[in-house]
Amino acid sequence: MTRSLLVAGVLALTSACVIEVDDDGPRPNLPPTVVAPLAQCWWAGADGYVWAFDAFAQDPDGAWDVTEVWADVYDVRNGDRYIDSYPLQRTAEADRWYSDWYGWSMPLDCRYDGYVVDVVAYDSTGSFDLFTVIPARSP
């Protein structure tokens, strides 16, 4: 009888499942990173000037953790005066964001060279990253 209990105990130990416990708790959210941002303006003939903003917003928590990307425009010749913000839209590439605008629909002048653009990416917890660029112009 002792032998059968011993065999049953060994069998129970060899067929048991292993449960791993993560004692570190949940992993903290990591902020996104703005990569390769671009702000540009060009003459589009009958449509007038067109402005475009483009960037990759990469996030260690996954591309879908990024919830918003904005292009915030400032006038550095006038004391870094805030001009306006333009939302970018997610493209078919989950981490790429883009938008374009007719010049007549915004208070920007393609011929003016005093602008800087902060491209800002926000994630689901409000963490953010920004990258400042000078717009490329082709008047």
Side-chain angles (χ1 to χ4, degrees):
M1 176 128 161
T2 305
R3 178 177 275 209
S4 63
L5 286 177
L6 179 61
V7 170
V10 170
L11 287 175
L13 288 175
T14 60
S15 64
C17 59
V18 176
I19 298 174
E20 293 184 24
V21 177
D22 183 3
D23 291 335
D24 295 335
R27 189 173 66 97
N29 181 71
L30 298 171
T33 302
V34 175
V35 179
L38 177 65
Q40 60 185 345
C41 179
W42 67 89
W43 177 253
D47 291 327
Y49 288 105
V50 174
W51 283 85
F53 307 102
D54 191 7
F56 288 89
Q58 298 174 343
D59 193 304
D61 300 306
W64 293 99
D65 190 43
V66 178
T67 57
E68 298 179 69
V69 177
W70 289 82
D72 301 332
V73 182
Y74 297 87
D75 183 347
V76 293
R77 288 191 178 176
N78 290 300
D80 291 333
R81 183 175 62 94
Y82 169 76
I83 303 296
D84 209 348
S85 293
Y86 302 94
L88 281 67
Q89 304 300 315
R90 190 183 305 269
T91 67
E93 298 174 65
D95 63 346
R96 185 173 181 202
W97 296 71
Y98 177 86
S99 70
D100 56 16
W101 306 79
Y102 289 118
W104 51 262
S105 71
M106 55 198 324
L108 304 179
D109 181 351
C110 192
R111 296 163 292 187
Y112 182 65
D113 65 355
Y115 300 125
V116 296
V117 178
D118 286 347
V119 178
V120 188
Y122 297 91
D123 73 7
S124 62
T125 65
S127 296
F128 69 93
D129 183 43
L130 70 86
F131 195 120
T132 303
V133 296
I134 297 172
R137 300 173 301 121
S138 301

